[in-house]
Amino acid sequence: MFNGPGGVHPGRPFHEHARDAATVIASIAGLDENVRARMALIEDFHRHSVAGRGSYAGEAEVWAAAIIGHYQRTGNRTVYWDGIAHVSAGATGLGLAADQGVKSSVGSVLRQHFGRDYASVAIGFHHGNVGVAEIPAPAPDFLDAKLGARGEAALWPDMRADPISEPVKMRVISGVYDPVRDADEHLAIRNLAEAFDVVAHIREVTPVSWL
C-alpha cells in the first residue's frame, strides 16, 4: 500500500538532499544572500515535513479543511490522491511510529464531515519492482499477503458489500521506505471496513516504461 508525501518514494529523505544542496550552494563565492535564505527555507521545510518529523500528526485537520473549503466554494466533487495513512476514513497507527499511538487521518476528518459521501479507496500490491527498489513479498500477517495468496493478478474487494470488520496490517510504501525493514513498514487498522470502502490489490507491479 502506498503512502506519502514528504520524502522520496522510496529512498533517502528529502531533507538530507536539501541539506547537501544548501551546503553546495553556500560554497559558491559571491552568492546572493537571497539565494542563501531561500535554500535555508527549503531545508527547513523538508526538515519539518512528514518524513522529516517522522509523523503526520496534527496535519489532518489542516489538510481536510482545505479540501472541504474547496468543495464549499466550488461545489465540485474532488478526488483526493494520497497515501493510505492519509485517505483512511478511520484513525490509523503506523508500525514505525507505534509509540505515537493512533492518529486522526485526513480521511477520518472528511468522513466526519461528509459521512458516506466520502469514499475511501486503498491501493496496494503483493510484490514487484518500483524502479528504485525491489519490493519483497509482504509479511504473512499483512492483509497484502492474504490478498496475494488468492493468486489473482488484480482484485478489488468491496468492503461495503462484503466487509472485513477486523483489525489488519497493511504495508506502507512511504517516503522513507526501506525494503530491509519491510515488516515494520505497515499501517495498523482497527476495522478495515470502516477505514476503506474498496481495497484495490495488484499482485505484481513493474516500473513505468516511458514512451
Side-chain angles (χ1 to χ4, degrees):
M1 304 295 175
F2 292 101
N3 186 57
V8 291
H9 296 271
R12 189 179 185 222
F14 278 162
H15 72 90
E16 294 182 11
H17 289 294
R19 181 189 60 211
D20 290 350
T23 299
V24 172
I25 294 296
S27 68
I28 299 175
L31 180 68
D32 189 305
E33 286 302 315
N34 287 329
V35 175
R36 194 186 306 274
R38 289 175 183 176
M39 287 303 300
L41 288 174
I42 292 172
E43 185 179 354
D44 184 70
F45 169 80
H46 288 296
R47 185 182 299 110
H48 294 92
S49 69
V50 170
R53 291 184 292 112
S55 169
Y56 58 89
E59 303 288 352
E61 290 76 11
V62 176
W63 297 350
I67 296 171
I68 293 169
H70 175 74
Y71 175 77
Q72 292 174 335
R73 290 190 303 273
T74 67
N76 294 333
R77 299 174 69 181
T78 302
V79 175
Y80 168 48
W81 181 272
D82 210 330
I84 59 172
H86 303 295
V87 303
S88 169
T92 61
L94 289 172
L96 288 177
D99 59 317
Q100 297 180 17
V102 175
K103 303 292 184 182
S104 296
S105 63
V106 179
S108 68
V109 178
L110 293 175
R111 175 59 60 83
Q112 290 174 5
H113 182 85
F114 292 110
R116 283 290 171 178
D117 284 342
Y118 170 70
S120 177
V121 178
I123 303 174
F125 63 93
H126 184 269
H127 67 279
N129 188 304
V130 294
V132 294
E134 191 74 33
I135 311 299
D141 61 336
F142 281 18
L143 175 67
D144 314 75
K146 297 173 183 177
L147 294 177
R150 299 185 186 183
E152 298 182 42
L155 63 158
W156 37 90
D158 189 332
M159 296 296 106
R160 297 163 297 185
D162 188 16
I164 299 176
S165 302
E166 61 185 40
V168 299
K169 292 180 181 179
M170 303 171 73
R171 179 164 59 191
V172 168
I173 306 296
S174 70
V176 289
Y177 172 82
D178 184 343
V180 173
R181 61 187 189 199
D182 185 78
D184 294 324
E185 300 266 8
H186 68 269
L187 189 69
I189 301 290
R190 290 184 294 191
N191 185 318
L192 184 63
E194 290 182 358
F196 300 106
D197 296 287
V198 176
V199 178
H201 178 82
I202 300 168
R203 179 161 176 75
E204 182 177 3
V205 295
T206 57
V208 171
S209 296
W210 299 108
L211 298 177

